[in-house]
Amino acid sequence: MAEEAERAGQPRDEFHYHLELTPAQLKITHTALKSLLDDFGHEQHDVHRVIHEVLGKLPDDHSIRAISLDDELERG
């Protein structure tokens, strides 16, 4: 049964991870994902899709820009 699901493009087991990120870590993660989007070619649709899925789970661009990396690192 699990093999049939895997052949149909579904993973055997669905894993979900929970990450707790500081504001500085969140800003760096967001920036890294945006950069990664630029590095992959347009023919790599699956990679783009996954990156967009992850970015969709993060706060919006305005909220990310509001994080002052210098301020956060000083607090760290």
Side-chain angles (χ1 to χ4, degrees):
M1 189 66 97
E3 291 175 5
E4 292 174 20
E6 192 170 275
R7 276 184 287 202
Q10 300 170 351
R12 282 186 178 193
D13 295 308
E14 191 80 23
F15 289 101
H16 295 275
Y17 296 94
H18 173 83
L19 295 175
E20 291 188 22
L21 301 174
T22 65
Q25 293 168 339
L26 177 62
K27 185 167 186 121
I28 289 171
T29 300
H30 183 269
T31 302
L33 287 170
K34 290 283 195 166
S35 295
L36 194 58
L37 270 178
D38 294 338
D39 288 345
F40 282 99
H42 294 291
E43 67 280 352
Q44 295 172 310
H45 299 291
D46 291 340
V47 175
H48 278 240
R49 180 183 50 78
V50 173
I51 294 170
H52 281 288
E53 287 173 358
V54 175
L55 284 169
K57 294 179 179 188
L58 300 179
D60 61 52
D61 287 349
H62 178 72
S63 298
I64 297 295
R65 280 193 302 272
I67 298 170
S68 170
L69 195 52
D70 291 334
D71 291 345
E72 293 298 327
L73 292 174
E74 281 181 19
R75 285 185 211 157

